[in-house]
Amino acid sequence: MLTKTRTHKTSRPPVGFFEKIFLKEKLNHWLGYFFIAAIAAAFGYLIATQTFVGLGLFGLILGFFTVVACMVNTETGLYINIFYAFFAFHLSRYLFNDAFQVGIVVDILIGATFLSLLLKRGNLRSTFNSFVKTPVVVAMLVFLFYLLLQLFNPSGGSFDGWLQTFRRFLGSVFLLFIAYNLFTDYRRIRRFFTVLFVLCVVTGLYGCIQEWHGLFDFELAWVHADDNRFGLYFIMGDFRKFSTMSDPTAYGVVMASCSIIYIIIAWHQKSWPVKIVLLTGVLIMLLGMSYSGTRTANVMVVAGIGLFIMLTINKKATRFFAIASALVFVVVMYGPYANSTIIRIRSSFAGSDDESFKVRNANRATIQPYIWKHPIGGGLGTTGGNGLRHNPGHYLAGFPPDSGYLKKALETGWIGLIMICVLYFLVIKTGIRTYFSTHTQRLKILYAAITASIFSFYIGEYAQETIGQITDIVVYYPLIAILLKLPYIDRKTEETADLILLK
């Protein structure tokens, strides 16, 4: 049943209080101007003479006001989280030689944004009630409780390994609720997709610059600083590009999932100037994705577009879109040209003939007995590099799962794997159900685009851990929030909804 939310008068935001007390009453005279000038001069001196100390103090003050901004305005907080996720690793490499603790700041920013909801209150109780009643959220909360119980797993390892995984998923639940609470009208949803488009184009373009110009000196130094990293990034005589993100895989996954959305929106856009802008942005995203050398991302794009075609095959425009997509795929796969990027794209669809695929299948076969013998898994944070770091003596430490599903099966057992598969099924079911339940064409396009993008994440999970990284959760969970929240928006505004300039 659709409900209308009543508007409430909001109290004056804290920013107004700070402005009144400090700027207008305390500093609005010659002594206040002198005080501000003295602070600016002190910072200039410190940065010029003691760069580390000056930048540290500047970062501390900037961080304080950033947290305040998250607490004051929920929407601003969400976009700060997205911006930080896209660019934090780049700033860490450039300013701190990759020594900055990116993950801790993510927790602080999400917590501050969540706190803004509690400070404003408003219609929070009714929103929370509708939130926890959705099957998707119920499945997430059940899995969260299961992860909590993993603390007592007899096969588990250190507390730090468990805490790292648990707090990451808990933060994802908070992020989902923040987005669910925020997306109360189409205007905000449109703004989210606009901001996401701009950020994806910027990061996509930076990856293209890395390809055309070459990696910058500080990036080359970072890659060469670790032999294992160098071996993973330097493939076929060239470096895989990672843009502003943590690694090439994270970069490729985000570019793939977002390009699916904007390909679909651009195809159905009637305004040619807007269509050209969107397609140009999509081209930049796809180029950046291909330069990342992430073969999983290539499969994600094909899978997402394939699901969209299946959902909307009854439409004439989709049939033309399917033909155009098939032609592009054939040209890329079988065209009379080749370079390292094209060869890597083609190898993504080699299947059982690919040597890497054979190695991964062999690894999965050898570890299957362990999965069957441990129904609740070996404990959180026990596989791969995290296992070597937090649980060096564990049986799974150092084992490369090379798959989000396999990692969940190893760490949470086949019981946890079943839970996560049920969760993924409920998300896709929600997207498909909402697509067929709405009668507004523009909303159908939006539902189909979001569902296709989310489905691509689930396909990517087979070969990589595509869900749970800092860079992908700020895309994945807001998309789910939109699927969950749109049915609660008043249907009277459907016909006038102007989503992503779909006119």
Side-chain angles (χ1 to χ4, degrees), residues 70-261:
C70 292
M71 295 172 60
V72 168
N73 189 287
T74 306
E75 187 172 14
T76 300
L78 177 63
Y79 293 137
I80 288 175
N81 276 275
I82 298 174
F83 182 88
Y84 178 81
F86 272 57
F87 297 101
F89 289 100
H90 179 71
L91 294 176
S92 177
R93 286 190 291 265
Y94 183 69
L95 296 175
F96 303 100
N97 195 26
D98 202 35
F100 184 69
Q101 296 296 321
V102 174
I104 296 177
V105 178
V106 170
D107 296 337
I108 295 173
L109 293 178
I110 292 179
T113 308
F114 180 77
L115 185 59
S116 71
L117 299 177
L118 303 180
L119 294 175
K120 291 183 178 180
R121 296 183 182 180
N123 208 23
L124 188 60
R125 177 175 294 182
S126 61
T127 302
F128 179 77
N129 289 336
S130 64
F131 177 74
V132 297
K133 290 179 182 178
T134 58
V136 170
V137 176
V138 170
M140 285 191 67
L141 295 178
V142 169
F143 188 67
L144 179 66
F145 181 71
Y146 180 72
L147 294 183
L148 178 63
L149 295 179
Q150 282 288 328
L151 179 61
F152 309 101
N153 189 333
S155 301
S158 70
F159 174 79
D160 290 339
W162 169 85
L163 181 61
Q164 182 178 357
T165 304
F166 180 78
R167 70 178 177 84
R168 186 184 303 169
F169 192 78
L170 179 62
S172 299
V173 175
F174 284 164
L175 183 62
L176 177 63
F177 180 69
I178 290 168
Y180 182 87
N181 190 280
L182 176 64
F183 295 138
T184 56
D185 55 58
Y186 297 109
R187 177 177 52 84
R188 289 184 172 182
I189 294 174
R190 175 185 175 183
R191 188 154 52 229
F192 166 78
F193 281 109
T194 303
V195 171
L196 182 62
F197 177 77
V198 173
L199 291 177
C200 286
V201 171
V202 171
T203 53
L205 183 60
Y206 188 82
C208 293
I209 292 173
Q210 287 180 325
E211 174 69 19
W212 302 332
H213 170 274
L215 297 180
F216 293 95
D217 290 341
F218 72 95
E219 294 167 334
L220 284 172
W222 175 71
V223 173
H224 285 279
D226 186 278
D227 292 337
N228 184 51
R229 183 187 301 141
F230 179 82
L232 292 174
Y233 290 11
F234 192 74
I235 304 294
M236 300 179 64
D238 193 15
F239 286 103
R240 299 171 60 190
K241 307 309 180 293
F242 41 85
S243 186
T244 62
M245 300 187 180
S246 59
D247 56 78
T249 299
Y251 176 47
V253 164
V254 172
M255 291 297 101
S257 59
C258 292
S259 66
I260 293 169
I261 296 174

